[in-house]
Amino acid sequence: MCWGEAVRVCVIGAGLSGLAVAHALKDRGIGFVCLERAADVGGIWRQPEAGERGPGYRSLHLNTAKQLTGYADFPMPDSYPLYPRHSDVAAYLRSFAQWAGVLDDIELRTEVRSVRQDAAGTWTVVSRAADGTEATRRFEHVIVASGHHTEPSLPDPLPPGAPSFTGRILHSLDYRDGGDFAGQRVVVVGLGASAVDIATDLSRHAGRTLLSVRRGLHIVPKQLFGMSVDLIADAPWWGRCPSPNSAGSWSRRSSSPAAGSRTTACPSPTTRSSPRP
């Protein structure tokens, strides 16, 4: 099937970024269609419960505070924990799509097969529906929001000794649950967000969990003094606080001829209350 008249924009992917783009286009009255190959919106956040292959393992949760992660005009519910689970985020993203009124503009179970630009600058997108029907459509613009965690990247060739190793070697894309490794010795290579998440999950099940890293890195906890680290960094008083090496107190005094003397106080770590759970 070929559509001669172009909707102005094609958005590929209905995850967190694709839904944000769809909302922005809808809000400005720009015609678009969003193509999503999965059965629902939500990207990697819905994969664990759906049992689909992808980077969404069962212990997946936000590693940033919900207040700074949700959409500005559609915040996450107060009932959510500070770092929501994948199922919470998936439900939130679907609620956002409903609130933004973009569900009717999203074609689910539709895989993009190719994207080509002609000499005039128009984009031709070939997609395939779940029943195998192919559609060819032309657009003025294409916005790719399909994420970058679809294809696993492993060393090629694998390190020496890999062919004779009798255990399993898998990419984090294929990791699902720490219970699959109960009682085993497991080494996790890397120290990114996924590696730390997976190593933590494994430590509850595996006989021994090791992290292998190329160089030393500083591990910053997600919370300090009962507050999320990213909320601390985003707080207006953070930039006014002296460094621990420059002052022995949590306040500093400044003066100017015009304003006179004043004290700028920073919250004390011993009195700061914990955020709402």
Side-chain angles (χ1 to χ4, degrees):
M1 179 174 65
C2 180
W3 290 13
E5 269 186 55
V7 177
R8 290 187 61 188
V9 182
C10 174
V11 181
I12 303 175
L16 190 147
S17 298
L19 292 177
V21 170
H23 172 41
L25 294 171
K26 189 86 168 183
D27 198 45
R28 290 159 177 78
I30 300 173
F32 74 94
V33 63
C34 180
L35 307 180
E36 169 57 58
R37 70 177 181 178
D40 203 353
V41 302
I44 66 171
W45 298 101
R46 54 168 296 280
Q47 287 177 342
E49 293 298 322
E52 297 174 354
R53 183 173 186 258
Y57 35 89
R58 294 192 63 82
S59 62
L60 180 65
H61 60 280
L62 281 182
N63 60 8
T64 53
K66 65 176 181 180
Q67 296 91 329
L68 301 179
T69 308
Y71 301 109
D73 46 358
F74 191 79
M76 291 190 180
D78 290 339
S79 59
Y80 275 19
L82 184 58
Y83 304 105
R85 280 178 49 81
H86 58 79
S87 53
D88 293 328
V89 179
Y92 165 74
L93 291 176
R94 186 157 229 297
S95 296
F96 172 78
Q98 292 173 326
W99 171 83
V102 299
L103 286 177
D104 290 340
D105 302 291
I106 300 173
E107 295 183 13
L108 299 173
R109 302 182 188 273
T110 302
E111 181 181 13
V112 173
R113 305 292 293 169
S114 66
V115 178
R116 299 188 308 273
Q117 187 178 29
D118 59 28
T122 301
W123 296 90
T124 299
V125 177
V126 178
S127 61
R128 184 172 61 190
D131 61 1
T133 304
E134 287 201 348
T136 301
R137 290 171 270 192
R138 289 183 287 274
F139 302 92
E140 294 178 25
H141 307 281
V142 174
I143 299 174
V144 180
S146 55
H148 58 278
H149 300 298
T150 303
E151 298 298 328
S153 178
L154 286 168
D156 187 15
L158 290 172
S164 60
F165 179 61
T166 57
R168 295 162 60 190
I169 299 177
L170 73 159
H171 192 274
S172 60
L173 183 86
D174 294 309
Y175 178 83
R176 283 293 169 269
D177 186 78
D180 298 335
F181 301 87
Q184 301 178 32
R185 292 176 298 164
V186 186
V187 59
V188 179
V189 180
L191 201 63
S194 295
V196 173
D197 270 357
I198 290 172
T200 302
D201 187 37
L202 282 168
S203 68
R204 303 184 182 102
H205 303 275
R208 190 179 186 192
T209 304
L210 298 172
L211 270 169
S212 174
V213 297
R214 184 177 302 175
R215 65 184 187 279
L217 294 171
H218 293 288
I219 305 297
V220 179
K222 290 193 296 187
Q223 288 181 283
L224 289 173
F225 315 126
M227 289 189 67
S228 173
V229 169
D230 45 0
L231 287 176
I232 292 175
D234 194 58
W237 49 262
W238 177 249
R240 301 197 302 266
C241 291
S243 67
N245 296 327
S246 64
S249 68
W250 282 70
S251 65
R252 66 182 177 185
R253 183 173 298 276
S254 62
S255 63
S256 67
S261 179
R262 71 180 186 274
T263 298
T264 303
C266 298
S268 166
T270 60
T271 59
R272 186 74 189 181
S273 61
S274 297
R276 180 169 44 195

